[in-house]
Amino acid sequence: MNKVMIKATGPFERIVHWCLAISCLILCASGMVMMYHSLQGFGTLVGGMAAVKTIHNYSGVFFAVSLFLALLVWWKEAGMFSSPEDWQWFKVAGGYLWKVDQMPEIGKYNPGQKLFFLTIVIFGTGMVVSGFFMWFPLGYEPGLIRFMYVLHALGFVIIFAFFWVHLYLVTLGAPGSASAMFTGWVSKGWARTQHPKWLREMEEKGTLVVYGKKGQSGRHC
Amino acid sequence: MKQELIKLIDLSRCTACRGCQVACKQWNELPASETHNFGSYQNPPDLEWNTWTLIRFQEYVDAQGRLQWLFRKDGCMHCTDAGCVKVCPTQALFHTEFGTVALNTDKCIGCKLCIFACPFNVPRFDEETKKISKCDLCQSRLQAGQPPACVLSCPTGALQIGAKDAMLAAAHRRVRELGGDASVYGEQFVEGTHVVYVLPEKAEVFEKLPAKPEIPTSIMVWKDILKPAGLLAAGTVVAGAFLHYITHGPKNPEEEINQEGGTQI
């Protein structure tokens, strides 16, 4: 590896990301086994449908905690859109759909990532709330519980679809991204292409951490 | 389907002896509950996990100011388009060869979805076994060619069971005999119930009996729209991603040559 690698994420960030990701995947899988009858056979793998339900419910708790931590970690950087570069980014569809000569100056998170984050926050919260009511539905207005079923299903439609967008971009769509959530290091070229404003700001502030460069610690959160 | 059966409940013949209630408990080995007097012969006050059928007692003053004592045998209506079967994630609730709705408790995971999908508010949750419980129209008896316990116990002929057509014909015959506000209740809802009432009064008069029972719209939105939409949306995204990859291609970073000694790979 001869590319210049720079520090993109800290260990806590990565742990929170993977807690959220793994719980979300378990929830999607177990939820689908309960939603689609043709997948019921997979329930046998974990000891039957009752176990699937138990796994789903407790993964939901794990997800809720992860979601809360994710909110703390990323709210400042990904929770708000910044003008005007984010709107310009939308106008050129992030450079993903057609050739763009001048890409807008994007910070640490591009508006697509922000949109993904906000979707997870909003619908994830919806999933946690509706899931809680579905877990303990007795004693509430039937109309309320039925609304929670619809909300839960809607949240699944959105989150599951977005998951595939996320997976595609991080693997095939935007090569070089995935390492940010594995090792925490990304190449400088990648940062310049994807998040030029973020790179420039770090260079200006002197917070840029380059792998292997003397006098700089490789750790920061 | 072997033969579609209908249990006909002719409320004009019901004397509220509650023989059916007791026979149901006996055959299905359902224990009694300790209840309290709330000023009615109706006991227990509502359907329970261990009370699959219940005679409801109702004092009703009609338009002419006459007091009537109405009795209604409540319980599972065994819908053709059954909300409980529709939402059950494990197919624990299923249609039998008689068109009735039975429950395989081994498969039940106690998710309680059926409670909220039922237009008649029938399924009950057993806190002890953590499973759902409801009338299966004595499936084991039907399979043996026997009438359900409630029907067998009925001394007045208010309860009958038989082939769908014969029962519906009998119901309409009886309604014609009764005249007035009498009506047949059940065949016109949820694609036909397998428990049909002969109501001596308008359906609206009876407590806890929905005038127009149907699977709640929210349940339909969930199961008929959002459920397929989940796969459709994900499939569209995957197809779109593939199309993007083969047409536009990935967004590759413009790697810089490492001034500190590296090279572009």
Side-chain angles (χ1 to χ4, degrees):
Chain A
M1 177 88 58
N2 290 317
K3 285 183 274 188
V4 181
M5 299 303 277
I6 62 167
K7 192 88 183 160
T9 60
F12 184 65
E13 231 176 320
R14 295 197 294 278
I15 290 170
V16 170
H17 170 265
W18 286 109
C19 284
L20 198 63
I22 290 166
S23 58
C24 187
L25 285 175
I26 295 172
L27 285 164
C28 279
S30 54
M32 284 174 78
V33 169
M34 290 190 282
M35 177 103 127
Y36 302 102
H37 286 155
S38 50
L39 301 176
Q40 260 187 76
F42 291 103
T44 317
L45 295 175
V46 291
M49 292 302 287
V52 173
K53 180 183 162 231
T54 307
I55 289 169
H56 190 78
N57 290 350
Y58 288 98
S59 303
V61 176
F62 185 41
F63 176 81
V65 174
S66 310
L67 186 65
F68 178 71
L69 293 177
L71 204 62
L72 295 182
V73 171
W74 289 301
W75 181 253
K76 268 199 191 138
E77 289 168 328
M80 265 151 281
F81 291 100
S82 36
S83 211
E85 66 269 21
D86 280 1
W87 311 116
Q88 287 163 357
W89 188 93
F90 276 123
K91 269 186 207 157
V92 298
Y96 282 105
L97 297 183
W98 57 85
K99 205 100 197 109
V100 177
D101 297 328
Q102 190 64 45
M103 276 297 290
E105 289 273 288
I106 290 301
K108 182 162 184 186
Y109 293 100
N110 70 42
Q113 290 171 298
K114 289 177 183 176
L115 201 64
F116 182 71
F117 172 72
L118 288 172
T119 302
I120 296 299
V121 168
I122 292 165
F123 286 95
T125 307
M127 291 309 259
V128 170
V129 171
S130 57
F132 175 81
F133 279 101
M134 287 171 77
W135 195 350
F136 305 103
L138 300 181
Y140 297 101
E141 225 9 74
L144 175 74
I145 300 302
R146 288 182 202 129
F147 171 73
M148 293 301 167
Y149 294 157
V150 173
L151 184 61
H152 210 71
L154 179 70
F156 169 74
V157 174
I158 305 286
I159 290 173
F160 192 56
F162 260 71
F163 159 74
W164 292 101
V165 177
H166 190 60
L167 186 71
Y168 167 67
L169 287 176
V170 84
T171 51
L172 299 171
S177 310
S179 63
M181 282 302 158
F182 285 108
T183 61
W185 298 92
V186 291
S187 77
K188 203 172 174 183
W190 176 87
R192 182 156 294 143
T193 311
Q194 299 281 6
H195 306 279
K197 191 174 148 198
W198 171 61
L199 182 65
R200 204 185 57 239
E201 278 172 0
M202 282 199 299
E203 278 172 333
E204 280 165 8
K205 280 189 214 152
T207 51
L208 185 71
V209 181
V210 179
Y211 187 78
K213 225 180 175 191
K214 274 185 189 159
Q216 278 179 334
S217 100
R219 299 170 46 122
H220 84 135
C221 282
Chain B
M1 198 172 286
K2 225 180 194 174
Q3 184 190 26
E4 221 175 327
L5 296 178
I6 277 184
K7 179 171 84 175
L8 182 59
I9 306 177
D10 182 353
L11 293 183
S12 69
R13 294 189 203 270
C14 178
T15 60
C17 72
R18 298 187 291 194
C20 52
Q21 232 178 282
V22 175
C24 174
K25 281 194 182 269
Q26 189 191 30
W27 178 258
N28 295 299
E29 299 181 318
L30 300 168
S33 315
E34 199 174 309
T35 59
H36 59 275
N37 189 338
F38 68 109
S40 168
Y41 281 103
Q42 187 176 313
N43 185 42
D46 203 353
L47 293 173
E48 304 168 299
W49 74 265
N50 54 341
T51 304
W52 292 349
T53 189
L54 168 77
I55 300 292
R56 293 189 179 277
F57 290 70
Q58 183 187 350
E59 288 167 22
Y60 167 64
V61 182
D62 68 13
Q64 282 78 47
R66 284 177 310 203
L67 176 71
Q68 290 193 59
W69 209 9
L70 300 177
F71 312 128
R72 179 168 75 88
K73 179 187 186 294
D74 199 1
C76 179
M77 296 293 283
H78 297 277
C79 312
T80 302
D81 183 20
C84 61
V85 175
K86 197 179 184 69
V87 297
C88 183
T90 61
Q91 292 164 311
L93 286 153
F94 63 99
H95 282 108
T96 68
E97 64 266 42
F98 309 107
T100 57
V101 178
L103 170 68
N104 180 346
T105 28
D106 286 346
K107 279 189 175 181
C108 177
I109 58 171
C111 67
K112 310 184 189 83
L113 300 185
C114 52
I115 293 176
F116 297 92
C118 174
F120 297 99
N121 187 23
V122 165
R124 291 294 189 271
F125 184 68
D126 180 357
E127 290 290 348
E128 208 161 301
T129 60
K130 303 284 177 206
K131 284 172 193 285
I132 284 296
S133 166
K134 77 160 197 74
C135 159
D136 63 355
L137 210 66
C138 287
Q139 199 200 357
S140 59
R141 295 182 60 89
L142 294 183
Q143 280 165 339
Q146 295 290 314
C150 57
V151 174
L152 187 69
S153 76
C154 184
T156 66
L159 299 179
Q160 301 174 59
I161 190 154
K164 185 180 175 179
D165 295 344
M167 287 297 107
L168 287 178
H172 284 281
R173 207 163 45 238
R174 180 64 180 157
V175 162
R176 275 195 302 277
E177 255 171 54
L178 289 167
D181 284 338
S183 65
V184 177
Y185 179 99
E187 59 170 338
Q188 66 273 55
F189 309 120
V190 290
E191 292 175 26
T193 55
H194 292 88
V195 171
V196 167
Y197 285 114
V198 167
L199 299 177
E201 299 289 334
K202 281 193 179 111
E204 291 80 3
V205 167
F206 291 88
E207 281 170 358
K208 311 242 170 168
L209 184 69
K212 280 197 177 65
E214 55 187 7
I215 298 179
T217 315
S218 43
I219 299 292
M220 306 291 271
V221 169
W222 170 28
K223 287 294 167 182
D224 294 340
I225 299 173
L226 293 173
K227 186 177 162 183
L231 296 181
L232 198 69
T236 308
V237 167
V238 172
F242 180 70
L243 205 64
H244 177 259
Y245 193 74
I246 60 169
T247 54
H248 187 86
K251 189 175 172 185
N252 283 309
E254 290 153 28
E255 294 295 354
E256 64 181 293
I257 294 163
N258 192 347
Q259 268 102 37
E260 284 103 32
T263 51
Q264 190 175 8
I265 48 167

